[in-house]
Amino acid sequence: MNADHVFVCGNPALDFAATLRARRTLRFETLVSPERLDAWYLRAGMVDTLSPSRESDVARAIAVREAVYGLVTARRLEEPYDDEALATVNGAARKPPVTPQLTAAGRRTDATPEEALSTVARHAVEVLSGPDVPLLKECGNPECTRVYIDRSRGMRRQWCGMESCGNRLKAAAYRARRKRAQEPAGQ
C-alpha cells in the first residue's frame, strides 16, 4: 500500500483521521515517524515551515487522530460521543493554532507541531458542529475506512475518491462481470 498522504475527504481533520488506513483489516499506519507527521502538515497546506516534530509529537498526533476518528464515527452513526475522545480533541483545540503572517512576498505560515495539531483539532470541532454533519459518509470500499464530506449532486458519491478507491472498485466489478459473461452456461 502506498504511504503517500492523500487528501480526498473534504476537511483537514477528516484527512488526518484517514492517516491510519484500512482500519478494519491491515491497519496501515502512515504517521510512522516525526518526518512523516511533518510531511502531512506540509502537504495538507497547513504550514509553509514547521519546527521538526519529535516522537512525543507523533504520539500526541496519533491520540488526537484516533479521538477525531471516534468522534466522527459516533456523529455519523448518531451515537453519543466518548468523553475521553472529546477531552482529547478539545484539549488540542485549546492550544494556540497555526497563525499565518503577511510578508512582503505574501502569506507565510511558520508553526510548531503543537500549533499544527491544534489547527487539525479546530477543523474537527468545526466539521463536527457545523452544517456538513449530514454529509459525512464512509467510503464504500470495504477495505477503506475514510470518512468524507459528500457534496456531490444528490449525495450519491460512494467512494472517498475515484483515484484512491472508486477506480479500483469499478475495475474489479468490470473484471468480475466480464469473467461471468465468458463462463460457459451451466457452470
Side-chain angles (χ1 to χ4, degrees):
M1 205 177 255
N2 192 330
D4 287 340
H5 298 300
V6 177
F7 301 90
V8 295
C9 298
N11 178 284
L14 299 176
D15 287 319
F16 195 69
T19 60
L20 178 62
R21 299 196 194 143
R23 289 173 178 269
R24 289 186 284 273
T25 55
L26 302 173
R27 297 188 61 83
F28 183 77
E29 178 65 69
T30 62
L31 301 179
V32 295
S33 68
E35 295 78 21
R36 294 295 295 152
L37 175 61
D38 293 347
W40 189 92
Y41 291 135
L42 290 163
R43 293 260 339 266
M46 217 167 271
V47 298
D48 296 309
T49 62
L50 188 71
S51 55
S53 292
R54 298 183 305 265
E55 287 297 332
S56 59
D57 295 313
V58 175
R60 266 191 300 283
I62 287 173
V64 169
R65 177 197 63 202
E66 292 308 297
V68 167
Y69 184 79
L71 295 173
V72 166
T73 300
R75 175 62 75 195
R76 196 175 54 74
L77 300 176
E78 299 179 3
E79 295 175 353
Y81 286 144
D82 176 78
D83 291 338
E84 188 176 328
L86 274 176
T88 299
V89 170
N90 287 333
R94 278 189 207 96
K95 305 284 184 186
V98 167
T99 306
Q101 301 291 301
L102 186 61
T103 69
R107 182 180 191 264
R108 176 105 186 136
T109 307
D110 304 315
T112 66
E114 184 177 68
E115 291 167 338
L117 188 58
S118 173
T119 301
V120 168
R122 288 169 182 236
H123 279 289
V125 169
E126 291 302 315
V127 77
L128 291 169
S129 63
D132 289 336
V133 168
L135 307 179
L136 295 175
K137 288 173 88 175
E138 187 176 68
C139 183
N141 177 350
E143 294 294 317
C144 184
T145 53
R146 286 188 189 111
V147 175
Y148 61 92
I149 299 172
D150 183 1
R151 291 191 178 101
S152 66
R153 187 184 311 185
M155 286 187 55
R156 290 190 218 156
R157 186 172 155 193
Q158 297 177 37
W159 304 289
C160 60
M162 281 305 291
E163 296 78 28
S164 51
C165 289
N167 285 340
R168 228 174 306 158
L169 288 176
K170 282 185 162 188
Y174 171 77
R175 285 190 302 272
R177 284 191 309 272
R178 195 162 170 187
K179 183 179 178 185
R180 280 192 306 270
Q182 291 174 349
E183 289 175 355
Q187 272 195 327

